[in-house]
Every structure is written in C-alpha cells, then in structure tokens.
Amino acid sequence: MSAVRAIELHMIGLPLVRPFRTSFGTSTEKICVLVRLDTDDAEGWGECVAEVEPGYSEEFNEGAWLVIRDHLAPALLGADAPEIDDIDALLSRVRGNPMAKAAVVDAFVDAELRARGVALATWLGAGRERVVCGVSIGIADTTDELLDQVDGYLDEGYQRIKLKVEPGLDVDRVEAVRSAHPDIALSVDANAAYSIEDLDVFRALDEFDLLMIEQPLHHADLVRHAELQRAIGTDVCLDESIRSAADAAAAIQLGSCRIVNVKQGRVGGIIEARRVHDVCRAAGVPVWCGGMLETGVGRAQNLALAAMPGFTLPGDTSASGRYFPDDLTEPFMMAADGTMSVPMGPGIGIVPRQDRLAETTMRSELITS
Ligand code: OSB
Ligand code: MG
C-alpha cells in the first residue's frame, strides 16, 4: 500500500515481422500506449491493447491516451495510499474504456507486487510453470502463402493454429489447411465479420472438425450467437463480446458460446480477467488466453494469467519472434515442444529494455499530481 507519485505515458511504435490482416483491417506496425507508474516503493508497467483505429472495439490509441491522462491517472494520483482491492472503486468514475483501464490497473498491480517481491502468477494462484502456445495467422494474400505460414509455425512447434477468416476467404482456406493437416488443432476467428444470414458458411465450416469458431457475429449480439450455437456442432468462442465477468456470465447463461477467449487487456486488466476466469471455471466453460499482438510487457501479463487452472486450451501466447524482429523487452522464446515458461520474477517479471524504449517511443508525457 503506497501512494502513486507519477504516471508516464509512452506511444510506442514497433515494426511487425509481417503485416497482420484481419476482417477489420491490416496492421503493419504495432502502435500502442505503454504506461509506467511510480509508487513510493516501486515502478510498474502496463500496456494498452487498443490500436490506431477503433476497428476491434470502440477504443483507439489517441482516445485511450486522453482517458488515461485526463481521467484515470488523476483518480489514482489523488488517492491516499491505494491498495489493489481499492483500484476498481477508484477507477469506477470512468464508464467503459476497459483497454485504457487495463493499462493503468496492470501497471499498478505490477508496482504493488514488485514492492512485495511477489510474482503476478503467484498472486493469481496460477500454479503452472509453462503454458501451451498456439498461433493466430492473419488473412493471407493467397492460399499457398497461408499453407506456407502454417507449415512454418507447425515446424516451430505451435500446438494450435488459428486462421483469421472473413466472408469469401473462409471455407476454401480452411479446407486447404485441413486437408494438408488432418490432425492438427485448428480454429478460425472471424472478428465479428458475419451475420446470422451466413448460416451456410458456418454449416460448411462445421465439417472441418474445428476446435472452435471465434467471434462470428457482432460483438453486442449475444442472442444471435446463442441462435448460431444451437444451429451448429462446432463450439462458438466469444472474444470481442466479453468485456467483463458480467458479460461472460450473461453469454454462458444465454448459451451464446461454449468457450471464452480471455484477454486481460480487453476486460479492464488482470483483476477483472481473473473474475472472468472464475465465472467460466465455475460454469465448466473452458477458457484460453487471447492476445492483441502485445509487446513483451503485455505478453508477461498474459502468460501469468494463462497459467491459471481454468486455461485448458492453448492460447494465442506466441513467442516474441512471431511478432517483432526486436521486442520491447528481452524476447519471449517458445521451446520446441510448443510451450513457454511463465515469468516468475516480482510483478510481471520483466521491464522494457531502456535502449528499445528510447528507440520506439514516438512521444511521451509525464502526469503528476
Ligand atoms: O481477435 O484475437 C483477435 C490480434 C489483434 C486484434 C484481435 C485479435 C488478434 C489476434 C492475434 O488474433 C493474437 C496474438 O497473437 O496476439
Ligand atoms: Mg479474436
């Protein structure tokens, strides 16, 4: 328990190894808001998973910057000596904006745990030392290019392949990958690109023994997701639709999905992510750890979360090299068996490298009381 002295924002720009194309746009560079938070006792780091454009959700980098600078940071800087348990109430004056909140919550929790010398995974009660890695593959220009990428990732050891799909680049692509690899764990992610009128596409996808179909319909449409889940055999997984533990409870009660993708950066940070895990685990709904192409800072958060017991499916927690020629932190490596070790140093167990931070910071701002 210690006062927050300063919050520093960095807008980071990090080249990606290859463009990442989804149904809502293409990223050629990772651009995100990074938060450094100083308490009396320690420093903490948090990463905002918003992107340049509000395509995945309503949040976007410039908006998140302002929400943090003008609303979230003042709430923390004005508090006496907040504890982790106080953080929700302190930030509750801001409605929504879970990505902006997550960056601040995660930085505060990191600082608190560093001061106590406790690893985030330990604090979460996450007993696993290693987590199983999958990989999410963007929409490729051609089917041949996609097949090459799949081969490359399978050679590296990834234990589950997820293909981004969109209308027109779906059934044929899945069929090509499935015939080349009859036995791999394979899933698709539509990022909300379809409507319930596309039932024929989902019925066709039903034939490929997919592990799941992720976020097929509009994020706000839990009722039609339930309709779709009743109409197909493949498990529906929700990503964009789940922004809180309450959303997860609603989706489960409605039958909108049978699997939940947990991204701490999407649900308001590590504390709410733990609640999403707990709600799903109590209902017997498997969860897995999604990703937003995070730098090493967000990746460390994700790995600690993925070590919790309800995370029974491989995550999108890939190695640094799958994303960046040169990560912001020391790189996260995957072993040949497709697993990655969970950081066990105090807090998230890693900090940005000073040289990389200097090279990749496009602008920064220090906020003090
Ligand atoms: O929908 O899961 C998604 C990346 C950016 C935005 C949304 C998504 C993704 C991914 C990549 O699928 C996951 C990762 O490897 O970090
Ligand atoms: Mg997704």
Side-chain angles (χ1 to χ4, degrees), residues 235-313:
D235 290 344
V236 170
C237 168
L238 291 179
D239 173 356
E240 284 92 325
S241 293
I242 309 299
R243 297 166 181 213
S244 64
D247 285 345
I252 292 168
Q253 192 176 329
L254 282 167
S256 311
C257 64
R258 296 192 199 121
I259 298 176
V260 169
N261 167 333
V262 185
K263 293 178 181 170
Q264 53 82 21
R266 183 196 69 223
V267 303
I270 199 74
I271 301 172
E272 187 69 13
R274 181 215 285 234
R275 292 191 195 108
V276 175
H277 164 274
D278 293 349
V279 162
C280 294
R281 190 150 190 249
V285 170
V287 303
W288 56 280
C289 186
M292 294 290 289
L293 314 178
E294 287 92 342
T295 77
V297 170
R299 192 158 311 283
Q301 305 271 3
N302 292 347
L303 286 167
L305 182 67
M308 294 188 73
F311 286 77
T312 53
L313 294 165

Side-chain angles (χ1 to χ4, degrees), residues 108-336:
F108 181 76
V109 172
D110 182 34
E112 279 293 291
L113 296 182
R114 277 183 210 269
R116 293 188 215 162
V118 174
L120 177 60
T122 306
W123 183 76
L124 289 169
R128 221 174 273 145
E129 280 170 30
R130 307 190 66 80
V131 303
V132 178
C133 304
V135 62
S136 170
I137 305 183
I139 297 168
D141 288 340
T142 66
T143 302
D144 283 345
E145 200 178 293
L146 174 62
L147 289 168
D148 281 350
Q149 287 189 43
V150 170
D151 287 346
Y153 290 128
L154 290 173
D155 283 348
E156 285 183 56
Y158 285 102
Q159 295 199 29
R160 187 229 59 209
I161 298 286
K162 164 172 133 183
L163 309 177
K164 293 287 188 181
V165 291
E166 68 180 12
L169 294 173
D170 40 39
V171 180
D172 293 355
R173 293 281 172 100
V174 173
E175 182 171 33
V177 173
R178 183 45 99 198
S179 23
H181 304 284
D183 299 322
I184 60 169
L186 183 65
S187 69
V188 296
D189 184 359
N191 288 112
Y194 295 86
S195 80
I196 196 74
E197 313 298 317
D198 297 310
L199 203 53
D200 286 353
V201 175
F202 298 114
R203 292 220 162 100
L205 291 174
D206 236 356
E207 299 302 309
F208 298 110
D209 191 25
L210 297 176
L211 205 53
M212 69 191 83
I213 298 176
E214 182 178 341
Q215 198 64 45
L217 311 179
H218 189 276
H219 71 86
D221 205 343
L222 291 181
V223 170
R224 285 198 185 77
H225 275 107
E227 197 180 313
L228 175 62
Q229 181 65 96
R230 284 192 295 272
I232 62 175
T234 307
D235 290 344
V236 170
C237 168
L238 291 179
D239 173 356
E240 284 92 325
S241 293
I242 309 299
R243 297 166 181 213
S244 64
D247 285 345
I252 292 168
Q253 192 176 329
L254 282 167
S256 311
C257 64
R258 296 192 199 121
I259 298 176
V260 169
N261 167 333
V262 185
K263 293 178 181 170
Q264 53 82 21
R266 183 196 69 223
V267 303
I270 199 74
I271 301 172
E272 187 69 13
R274 181 215 285 234
R275 292 191 195 108
V276 175
H277 164 274
D278 293 349
V279 162
C280 294
R281 190 150 190 249
V285 170
V287 303
W288 56 280
C289 186
M292 294 290 289
L293 314 178
E294 287 92 342
T295 77
V297 170
R299 192 158 311 283
Q301 305 271 3
N302 292 347
L303 286 167
L305 182 67
M308 294 188 73
F311 286 77
T312 53
L313 294 165
D316 280 346
T317 46
S318 310
S320 291
R322 176 256 171 273
Y323 306 97
F324 312 110
D326 192 6
D327 205 333
L328 190 59
T329 61
E330 292 302 326
F332 284 88
M333 315 287 252
M334 182 181 71

